[in-house]
Amino acid sequence: MKRRDKAQHKFEICLGYPCFSLELSPNARTLTVFSLQRNKEVLGDLVTSATAARLKNGYETPPPGGGTPQHRKSFAAASPAESPVPACSSQQQPLSEVSKQNGSRAGWVLHTLLQLKAPGLLRERKSSTGRVLRRCAAGTDLVEWLMTIGVHSRQQATAMWQVLLEEGVISHVSRDQPFKDKFLLYRFWQDDENGASVAPTEADEAQAQAELKDALAYLTQKAPDAMMRLILRKPTHERTSDDLETIYEELLHIKALSHLSNSVKRELAAVIIFESHQKAGTVLFHQGDEGHSWYIILKGSVNVVIHGKGVVTTLQEGDDFGKLALINDAPRSATIVLRENNCHFLRVDKDNFNRILRDVEANTVRLKEHGRDVLVLEKISPATNAFSHFKYTVMAGTPQKMLEHLLETRLDGRIGQTREEGPSDPFLDDFLLTHIVFMPTHQLVTELARHYRIDSPSQDREFLVACKRRVVHFVHRWVSTIRHPVFEEPSAFAFLEELSGEVSDDNARWEMEDENAKMTQVMDELAQWSATQSVSQKWKLPPGGQPISAFGSDTQRDLRMRPQDDIIFRVYCADHTYCTLRFPLSSNAETVKVSAADKLGLKHDDLILVEVKSSGERVVFKDSDVSVPTALSLNGRIFVSPKEHLEALTCLPDQETPTEGSVGDLELFSTKELAYHMTLFDWSLFCAVHEYELIYHTFGRHHFQKITSNLDVFLRRFNEIQFWVVTEICLTSSVSRRVQLVRKFIKLAA
């Protein structure tokens, strides 16, 4: 279909879907290509014959032949003003003006081996128009060949070829496609420019084989970022659910988005776009231009320039700019100029910004003190607020303001209600379970005491009683949620005893019966905990790599490991002599090291405590590490040694391999009975793990000086079961008995 506009001399040609348009100048026969989305191969002769100016997105058409990776020209143009469709890098263009040496060398290695090992892949092919395309290969074939030389997945192979495409080593035959695992044709730059390619020699083959490992390692390292850029350059409607999840995980680590909720980041993942510019000095937009996009710097830096002031600041990786003009619907307040070559950005265009982020700002409440945010609240949508009647959730704030917000707005409605009767409040539970990260217990109880003991003559009785009630309800919820770790803190222990006496006195004065009853419950739990502290349990780490277990045969004993419990374990020397030690679980590595050195007759100078694994790997403990025996990996042993003798430490003979299995013992028990007792034991280990141990494990227990022994034992149990199954199967030499054993393990797992 063809339509002609005489005034504009403009033709629109539609070959099915999609279409492209050409503009004919009245005074010159010059064709300017505005948009060519597909079918470029079909119309290649027409495009080549055009004398060609610029593409609408700001890139010049590539010169014939393209140039070598070392001398390819940048096709990006510095836009004098921000256009309604901001310039973004084309998917087929190299990301940098000069290809990196490692990428160019990796391309030479693969090109050489392709010619020698798979000569049929690089060959002449005919396009649908009959044009001969010399020495090219299909993307699918290139991916499959890469997998034959050691790459494990098609996705990784695709990403590795995309690295070479971005660095200008390969290109699509029509220069309009990213790398795809499809029947799209690509060629190396050597085949594109040199005419008849020179066949590689035997010396080239030997050199390529020698460099293959390094080439694959380089491409593997660069592949994840290239795959991310490939996904971000896709049209938004073509992104799959896996693509959106990949983008979302990347957005979680970007500083400029840290204040946004996860739901907002997921929406941004669907619309955010990748953009790159190659030359320092490129102007992204000028002061006074209309705002069309919000930018986040992924790589590089930019200067912010204001008329009459010059460069006022420099923005680095992770910073953002351009948001103010979109929020206020105002002109740009500064000019943005690239400060260095090869800058990468994420871009959100105006329509999507208004749809996603303007609503966020409208639903965000910020409390400021002395010019800075001390509390940020975000309105919760009814769809995601099924478990709570609260309309706002806390996004950020200072610890003191978050606690004040909890006491003043989250607990008033709970007066007279028990925990089960009250409505769910995820923020209160989150605060109670994670406050140790940002508000240590001694700081929390100081703030609670201040809120409880408020006594101002200017305040009426109702206000004073409400303040006291809030604190008591908070403390009751705190103890019932956190349990024994609250009592283990000396500051909390002293605070609870003082608060109990004050609540009892205030009950006679203010009639606080409900609060007095709650504090009585708290003190009863405190008394029960205190009674258990007088009984210390003993644990042992058997020398043969068996599970950590308690002394004695009482199966009803508490399986929770406490900081004051003792554990008996061995510490070895380089010559495999050892000493047996007994220490509380809370002891640090330095204490263990010094005691072991004394018993083994070693000088204390420059000693280290080391775990030697059965694989021979050595892991050095920090002096501040606590509960070292339970932190050992399965079948690991503790060694003490001078630092210079670290490499001389070797595994013990009993670490190397088991000698016999326990198939005979397994046959004595029914699968159902075995599964019942294993589940019972695993459940008791799971129940012993406190939520705080997960926090200590994540942030590092040496930061808190707290044990994670129960979590250690639970994780160790998982590995014990896994390796036990593998070991028993491998030690069973008879095929028929091995089949029986595998069947039993399958039933056991079910």
Side-chain angles (χ1 to χ4, degrees), residues 378-415:
E378 184 180 281
K379 191 172 184 179
I380 310 173
S381 65
T384 59
N385 196 26
F387 302 105
S388 175
H389 72 279
F390 296 104
K391 296 182 179 179
Y392 285 86
T393 186
V394 177
M395 298 301 298
T398 63
Q400 293 80 4
K401 278 297 172 186
M402 286 194 287
L403 177 61
E404 185 178 312
H405 172 74
L406 277 173
L407 294 175
E408 292 183 358
T409 65
R410 302 285 177 139
L411 295 170
D412 272 351
R414 297 179 180 277
I415 294 176

Side-chain angles (χ1 to χ4, degrees), residues 57 188 247 260 487 494 588 628 669:
N57 67 358
F188 287 81
I247 298 172
L260 299 175
F487 307 135
N588 60 28
V628 168
F669 302 96

Side-chain angles (χ1 to χ4, degrees), residues 111-165:
H111 183 250
T112 301
L113 294 178
L114 263 172
Q115 293 179 86
L116 294 169
K117 304 295 185 183
L121 290 186
L122 296 175
R123 65 178 188 271
E124 291 185 348
R125 302 170 190 260
K126 282 190 177 181
S127 69
S128 55
T129 60
R131 289 175 58 204
V132 176
L133 304 173
R134 61 181 310 279
R135 294 188 63 77
C136 53
T140 300
D141 294 337
L142 291 174
V143 167
E144 290 177 351
W145 177 78
L146 208 53
M147 293 179 68
T148 64
I149 60 172
V151 179
H152 300 298
S153 70
R154 300 190 73 92
Q155 184 180 19
Q156 185 182 15
T158 301
M160 292 165 76
W161 285 115
Q162 177 66 17
V163 173
L164 295 178
L165 186 141

Side-chain angles (χ1 to χ4, degrees), residues 1-3 12-15:
M1 183 175 68
K2 179 173 74 175
R3 184 182 70 192
E12 289 186 0
I13 302 174
C14 209
L15 302 176

